């Protein structure tokens, strides 16, 4: 499909029947199209009349204008949440606390990577197993002392 074809309206079928349908129902189709356009205009006007920021520029403007309010809200949000989420009664022994899962940092290096990190930047060729044709050429730039 060419770019020109994607911008053109196409109809596969009996063009005569389509034209007859449009001419027979023109008033109804025109009123439906007008109603859709008016609905879209109302929706756009409703969005434009709200005070809720929607674009990055609107958010930045709002945040700079309401910086003190935002800082106050952020300071008060944790205590307010804690007041709302306090337990009405303590849980018994039948409902023990669930173990927490935290991310664990991984600091282990692959055996072949350590020598590369100690050398200067350059191109290196890695051969993985057999056959020797399975190679990877990479530019390595270690960040010494960074």
């Amino acid at each position: 499909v060419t770019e020109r074809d994607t911008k053109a309206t196409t109809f596969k079928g009996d063009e005569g029947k389509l034209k007859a349908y449009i001419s027979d129902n023109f008033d109804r189709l025109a009123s439906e199209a007008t109603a859709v356009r008016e609905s879209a205009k109302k929706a756009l006007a409703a969005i434009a009349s709200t005070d809720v920021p929607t674009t990055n520029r609107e958010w930045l403007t709002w945040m700079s204008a309401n910086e003190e309010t935002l800082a106050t809200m952020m300071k008060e949000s944790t205590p307010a949440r804690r007041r709302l989420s306090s337990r009405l009664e303590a849980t018994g022994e039948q409902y023990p606390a669930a173990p927490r899962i935290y991310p664990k940092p991984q600091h282990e290096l692959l055996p072949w990577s350590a020598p590369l990190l100690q050398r200067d930047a350059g191109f290196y060729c890695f051969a993985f197993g057999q056959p020797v044709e399975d190679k990877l050429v990479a530019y390595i730039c270690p960040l010494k002392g960074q």
Side-chain angles (χ1 to χ4, degrees):
V1 178
T2 66
E3 185 176 345
R4 185 173 153 245
D5 291 340
T6 60
K7 294 181 180 178
T9 303
T10 58
F11 173 71
K12 293 184 180 179
D14 188 352
E15 192 170 344
K17 286 184 180 179
L18 176 63
K19 287 182 179 181
Y21 176 80
I22 291 173
S23 66
D24 292 343
N25 299 292
F26 183 78
D27 293 336
R28 185 178 59 81
L29 294 172
S31 66
E32 285 180 16
T34 303
V36 168
R37 286 188 199 100
E38 290 300 319
S39 173
K41 286 179 186 176
K42 286 179 185 176
L44 288 174
I47 290 172
S49 67
T50 60
D51 293 334
V52 177
T54 53
T55 64
N56 281 346
R57 181 181 301 268
E58 290 173 354
W59 272 110
L60 291 173
T61 304
W62 183 89
M63 287 169 67
S64 65
N66 298 292
E67 190 171 354
E68 291 178 20
T69 306
L70 184 61
T72 304
M73 287 172 60
M74 291 177 73
K75 285 179 186 174
E76 294 174 356
S77 64
T78 299
R81 178 189 51 80
R82 287 187 178 149
R83 280 193 303 273
L84 288 174
S85 64
S86 62
R87 293 185 181 189
L88 299 177
E89 62 182 61
T91 58
E93 293 177 8
Q94 50 185 296
Y95 300 110
R100 302 292 180 205
I101 301 173
Y102 296 102
K104 296 180 178 93
Q106 300 204 359
H107 298 289
E108 74 180 59
L109 293 174
L110 297 172
W112 56 269
S113 65
L116 292 175
L117 297 174
Q118 298 167 0
R119 296 195 177 138
D120 292 330
F123 286 94
Y124 294 90
C125 180
F126 302 97
F128 295 98
Q130 301 296 329
V132 181
E133 291 83 25
D134 294 337
K135 296 178 186 173
L136 170 70
V137 176
Y139 181 77
I140 305 296
C141 181
L143 301 173
K144 293 182 182 177
Q146 296 292 327

